[in-house]
Amino acid sequence: MSKDIDVPGGPVTEQLSPEEVAERTRAAVGYNYEFEDKYVVSREKIREFANASQLLDPVHHDVEAARAAGYADIVAPPIMFSLIGIIAHRPLFENAIVGYGRRPVMQTEQKAHFHAPIVAGMILTTHVHFDSFRQVAGVDLIMTRNEISDQDGNHLVTSWTTLAGRSGEDEDAEFVSAMEKVMMYGAS
């Protein structure tokens, strides 16, 4: 993680007002870091993800089939980068975008540009960027960008994610209930 970036407002030691949450979030635009943990892409992780996604193409399961298709090893399903992003975003919400507490923040949009496939044996580095923040109709829209590269510095994926949350002081019970039904908690 980048140590030369000063997190706006310093550590949170008390409950923030909705205005303070929005102010601190707005001030954090531009915050970026290299996620300190590398993601090792294993054959087993690729196969598990492909099975969970019901992707039966042999390039996701069989080394020989992947090599026959021109790849060095089995190929990660394209959407697998989103798992890496979820893990890499944790420090963003621990260090820069603070004050949401139990208020759900949900993904509303995601775009990706694939520069090269992710294959087994790669060791991935993720750079996370907090690109913008705005408030619309009581909802906070947080836009992030992830840049994923392999161990040789080859750029593999650029993804843009829009997250929606509420910095309002009172939790909306219906909103919390609805989000708990669709959110993925505790991903690792």
Side-chain angles (χ1 to χ4, degrees), residues 2-187:
S2 178
K3 302 297 185 200
D4 60 344
I5 297 173
D6 184 28
V7 178
V12 175
T13 58
E14 57 190 57
Q15 181 66 35
L16 299 174
S17 71
E19 295 79 18
E20 290 170 321
V21 171
E23 180 182 328
R24 286 175 61 103
T25 302
R26 190 172 286 106
V29 170
Y31 181 78
N32 65 84
Y33 57 92
E34 178 180 307
F35 185 59
E36 61 188 17
D37 295 333
K38 306 297 182 199
Y39 188 90
V40 178
V41 183
S42 71
R43 289 176 179 165
E44 196 54 39
K45 280 286 185 189
I46 289 174
R47 289 179 181 125
E48 286 174 1
F49 200 91
N51 285 332
S53 303
Q54 299 180 17
L55 298 174
L56 305 177
D57 188 324
V59 299
H60 303 304
H61 301 274
D62 182 80
V63 175
E64 294 310 314
R67 289 187 178 146
Y71 301 105
D73 211 313
I74 62 173
V75 182
I79 196 65
M80 191 168 169
F81 78 90
S82 63
L83 173 63
I84 299 161
I86 289 169
I87 295 166
H89 272 178
R90 279 197 183 131
L92 182 64
F93 284 90
E94 292 169 354
N95 300 321
I97 302 173
V98 297
Y100 286 89
R102 262 196 29 78
R103 293 175 189 91
V105 175
M106 69 177 206
Q107 179 177 315
T108 59
E109 180 180 25
Q110 183 154 39
K111 298 176 189 175
H113 180 80
F114 298 93
H115 307 280
I118 296 173
V119 298
M122 288 182 168
I123 301 170
L124 306 181
T125 299
T126 305
H127 293 266
V128 177
H129 304 266
F130 178 21
D131 285 343
S132 67
F133 170 79
R134 65 188 173 115
Q135 293 180 298
V136 178
V139 176
D140 298 348
L141 297 175
I142 298 163
M143 280 62 82
T144 66
R145 174 174 36 98
N146 291 342
E147 305 278 349
I148 301 173
S149 303
D150 69 11
Q151 66 274 15
D152 297 322
N154 297 310
H155 202 141
L156 303 173
V157 181
T158 301
S159 67
W160 298 266
T161 304
T162 301
L163 304 166
R166 293 188 179 187
S167 57
E169 196 164 4
D170 296 325
E171 290 182 1
D172 179 336
E174 289 181 36
F175 182 77
V176 171
S177 176
M179 292 308 101
E180 285 178 344
K181 293 175 184 167
V182 297
M183 295 297 293
M184 181 169 67
Y185 288 103

